[in-house]
Amino acid sequence: MLDELAQFNKARWEAIAAAQSIYARPWLDLDDVTARQRVDPYGYFGDVTGKRVLCLGSGGGQQSVAFALLGAQSTVLDLTDNQLAGDRLAADHYGLKIRIEQGDMRDLTRFAEGEFDLVYHTYSINFIPDPTTVFAQVARVLQPGGSYFVQWHNPFTQLVDETTWDGMGYRLRGLYGDQEIPAHLFAEENWTFEDSAGNMQSVASPRSFRHALSTMINGLVHHGFQVVGCREETTDETNPAPGSWEHYKAVTAWILNLWTVKATHLAKPPAVLSHV
């Protein structure tokens, strides 16, 4: 049973995927080399042949097929029918077997304890209010020594966007902390993007939440994860124009990526410490 938030965001993501957002376009041009570049460009995971991988909140026919092409036993869980349609399409395209599950990332009870060797969690944890509910679920379904990759919006710059460029920089708005992103402070009440045919689409955005760095790090530590890597995501463009989306990304490092490992032995965990 989906709660009110999940129902709301599911409806929004169904529309976003139907409008062919870049996050809902299956990767149909992969080989072994490009698949690894997409999901493990820095070599944190090593050989994933035979590994049991859960792509969490990662529908769209992208990461699930990349891992399957690399020889993993790939499972994807996502909230949205239209996103998971992309995984079915991509699996058929490559002739791959992928387990496809629909559900809320906060409830992984359908999976057994220690069922996975790797959980790969692309940008989706910002659509729930408390990331530690997911960390607890991931800790249960992940084998000791298993890897957990999680990606989220840089909390220091989440209330900044390219529309705030004033000729000198991008303006911060609102107070720092764990909170739902208020619509009146966030310019993107609608997501505007180019679809696969080059047409501009505008779709109402889902509800989003900011997760402070301390909330994420302390929450992971509390649930038995050791951080082994961190990287910021910016832009691949050289000298992007000020005020553009790519320049905004280059300045703000808008996405943070963490690679963690579930400890094989854990003493009594410390209390979860927030930023407050």
Side-chain angles (χ1 to χ4, degrees):
M1 181 69 69
L2 298 180
D3 63 13
E4 181 181 358
L5 172 64
Q7 292 176 9
F8 182 92
N9 277 354
K10 180 179 184 297
R12 292 293 172 89
W13 270 102
E14 295 288 9
I16 291 167
Q20 300 181 343
S21 159
I22 192 172
Y23 305 112
R25 299 177 203 166
W27 293 341
L28 303 179
D29 58 350
L30 298 176
D31 56 26
D32 288 355
V33 173
T34 54
R36 186 167 297 280
Q37 289 173 342
R38 296 287 180 91
V39 296
D40 193 23
Y42 307 111
Y44 281 101
F45 303 136
D47 185 3
V48 296
T49 303
K51 295 289 184 66
R52 301 162 300 168
V53 177
L54 172 62
C55 296
L56 184 57
S58 302
Q62 299 181 352
Q63 294 80 23
S64 65
V65 294
F67 278 111
L69 282 168
L70 295 173
Q73 301 174 45
S74 189
T75 298
V76 57
L77 182 138
D78 197 273
L79 192 60
T80 310
D81 297 286
N82 284 336
Q83 288 284 93
L84 292 174
D87 294 275
R88 295 187 180 92
L89 187 155
D92 290 344
H93 173 79
Y94 292 107
L96 296 169
K97 183 179 179 180
I98 294 172
R99 180 181 175 186
I100 296 174
E101 296 282 346
Q102 185 172 16
D104 191 323
M105 72 180 80
R106 296 170 292 177
D107 181 6
L108 303 183
T109 54
R110 72 189 69 198
F111 303 122
E113 183 176 346
E115 184 168 340
F116 298 102
D117 304 296
L118 192 162
V119 176
Y120 193 89
H121 197 173
T122 52
Y123 189 106
S124 60
I125 205 165
N126 284 106
F127 302 120
I128 62 167
D130 181 2
T132 64
T133 60
V134 176
F135 299 159
Q137 294 285 309
V138 172
R140 187 186 67 81
V141 303
L142 190 62
Q143 277 279 354
S147 297
Y148 176 39
F149 166 81
V150 61
Q151 181 181 77
W152 86 107
H153 203 298
N154 185 338
F156 300 104
T157 63
Q158 197 164 359
L159 287 178
V160 185
D161 59 55
E162 74 276 19
T163 66
T164 66
W165 175 256
D166 61 8
M168 296 287 291
Y170 297 94
R171 289 182 288 109
L172 286 167
R173 295 172 295 182
L175 300 177
Y176 183 76
D178 295 310
Q179 62 171 295
E180 182 166 2
I181 303 301
H184 72 282
L185 288 179
F186 193 52
E188 294 188 0
E189 293 184 44
N190 281 14
W191 283 4
T192 302
F193 53 85
E194 193 175 273
D195 65 20
S196 58
N199 301 312
M200 295 306 297
Q201 302 285 343
S202 182
V203 181
S205 65
R207 288 172 61 187
S208 298
F209 300 83
R210 181 165 57 186
H211 305 318
L213 185 62
S214 56
T215 299
M216 295 289 289
I217 297 293
N218 291 325
L220 287 163
V221 170
H222 176 79
H223 287 96
F225 295 100
Q226 300 173 341
V227 176
V228 297
C230 175
R231 290 181 184 266
E232 300 89 348
E233 191 168 311
T234 57
T235 181
D236 294 326
E237 289 193 10
T238 302
N239 298 321
S244 68
W245 174 245
E246 293 301 326
H247 186 264
Y248 155 77
K249 292 195 297 180
V251 171
T252 62
W254 76 301
I255 294 292
L256 300 180
N257 301 295
L258 284 181
W259 288 261
T260 76
V261 172
K262 180 181 174 181
T264 54
H265 299 285
L266 183 67
K268 182 179 179 181
V272 178
L273 300 177
S274 75
H275 67 279
V276 179

